[in-house]
Amino acid sequence: MSGLFQVPWSDYRPDLVDALWRTVSYTAVSFVGAVLLGLAVALLRLSKAWPARAVAAVYTEVFKNVPLLAIIFLTYFGLASADIRLDVFTAGCLSLVVFYAAYLSEIFRSAISGVHAGQTEAGEALGLGRAGIFGHIVLPQAVRQALPGTNTMLVDLLKSTSLLVTVSAAELMSEGRLITSATFRALEVYLVISAIYFALCYPLSQLLLLLERKVRAGIPLSPWRRRRLKAARALLAPAVEADMKAGAV
């Protein structure tokens, strides 16, 4: 163990920082794309038109039951053999998007279905259209239910960027492989790379857990909603105070 830490890490610091930035970039872009595609697929699964439901079901089942590594190979190498050449960043993000969108669509579908039908009826009674009911009534409640599963998928997606080493995507694991090839210190290098992944994933998971707790507690997350809640409390304060005094009498 005395000879474990012998890699000149200062020489590789710029490359590691760049690889870290690429890992975060892959994660952010892929997660946004997976959320949007997953929501679209979930809405298709809930559609009244059976062809839309069938297409969404086929998509979900295919990408849930094909390994992510196979999807990466198909996207980067397979499409290239069909004269569709994607750069490594686009291919990597596309692979992650289509894979995780399948899982997120199931999470979103379950969350949307979990909103009681009476909520929709109440919206219709208020004269809201379908878009208004979904955006103002169904979606906020569905987000609360979908948040735990979505957060888990985000952390898992971050870890799965390491599989892009197979296409030399210049993310953390690819940089670790290059450093290993130059120094022949595999144990030390991959211990450090694993520690970096842990330093990324653990704080992220804790922050997401804190977000879940705030949402469950009904704490407004946006400043706009907090201002509206504060104004509503200020308007209701005199009435509450009057009721308390009346009760005391």
Side-chain angles (χ1 to χ4, degrees), residues 200-223:
L200 286 173
C201 294
Y202 182 73
L204 177 61
S205 63
Q206 294 304 304
L207 285 173
L208 294 173
L209 184 60
L210 178 62
L211 176 64
E212 285 180 38
R213 290 171 178 168
K214 286 190 173 185
V215 170
R216 286 178 182 175
I219 299 174
L221 300 179
S222 68

Side-chain angles (χ1 to χ4, degrees), residues 5-235:
F5 296 101
Q6 296 183 1
V7 174
W9 289 106
S10 59
D11 296 343
Y12 297 105
R13 187 178 295 115
D15 294 330
L16 281 172
V17 171
D18 183 63
L20 177 61
W21 170 248
R22 285 181 176 271
T23 297
V24 173
S25 299
Y26 277 113
T27 303
V29 173
S30 301
F31 183 69
V32 171
V35 167
L36 295 176
L37 180 58
L39 181 59
V41 174
L43 293 177
L44 288 177
R45 290 290 300 271
L46 296 170
S47 172
K48 295 180 180 179
W50 73 263
R53 294 198 306 271
V55 170
V58 169
Y59 169 87
T60 301
E61 294 304 321
V62 167
F63 286 102
K64 278 173 54 182
N65 293 285
V66 175
L68 176 56
L69 190 58
I71 295 173
I72 294 171
F73 278 22
L74 283 169
T75 305
Y76 189 68
F77 299 112
L79 292 180
S81 65
D83 292 329
I84 303 174
R85 302 187 182 278
L86 303 176
D87 62 87
V88 68
F89 185 82
T90 302
C93 288
L94 181 60
S95 302
L96 293 167
V97 165
V98 297
F99 181 79
Y100 280 95
Y103 289 93
L104 287 172
S105 69
E106 290 291 275
I107 294 172
F108 297 158
R109 181 179 64 85
S110 176
I112 294 171
S113 299
V115 178
H116 196 275
Q119 301 290 317
T120 301
E121 294 172 1
E124 292 173 349
L126 292 172
L128 294 176
R130 292 180 61 184
I133 292 172
F134 181 78
H136 296 290
I137 298 177
V138 176
L139 187 59
Q141 297 181 66
V143 167
R144 184 175 299 156
Q145 298 183 44
L147 202 56
T150 304
N151 291 344
T152 301
M153 288 293 105
L154 173 56
V155 176
D156 191 68
L157 190 156
L158 172 55
K159 292 185 292 184
S160 294
T161 58
S162 60
L163 290 175
L164 298 177
V165 65
T166 54
V167 292
S168 300
E171 32 61 60
L172 278 172
M173 193 59 71
S174 296
E175 186 60 32
R177 185 174 65 176
L178 292 175
I179 297 174
T180 300
S181 300
T183 62
F184 301 100
R185 308 288 298 179
L187 178 59
E188 177 182 347
V189 171
Y190 289 123
L191 277 175
V192 171
I193 296 297
S194 298
I196 295 174
Y197 274 109
F198 180 82
L200 286 173
C201 294
Y202 182 73
L204 177 61
S205 63
Q206 294 304 304
L207 285 173
L208 294 173
L209 184 60
L210 178 62
L211 176 64
E212 285 180 38
R213 290 171 178 168
K214 286 190 173 185
V215 170
R216 286 178 182 175
I219 299 174
L221 300 179
S222 68
W224 179 72
R225 286 184 177 273
R226 284 196 291 269
R227 287 196 297 268
R228 291 191 62 184
L229 182 61
K230 186 177 180 180
R233 286 174 176 170
L235 288 172

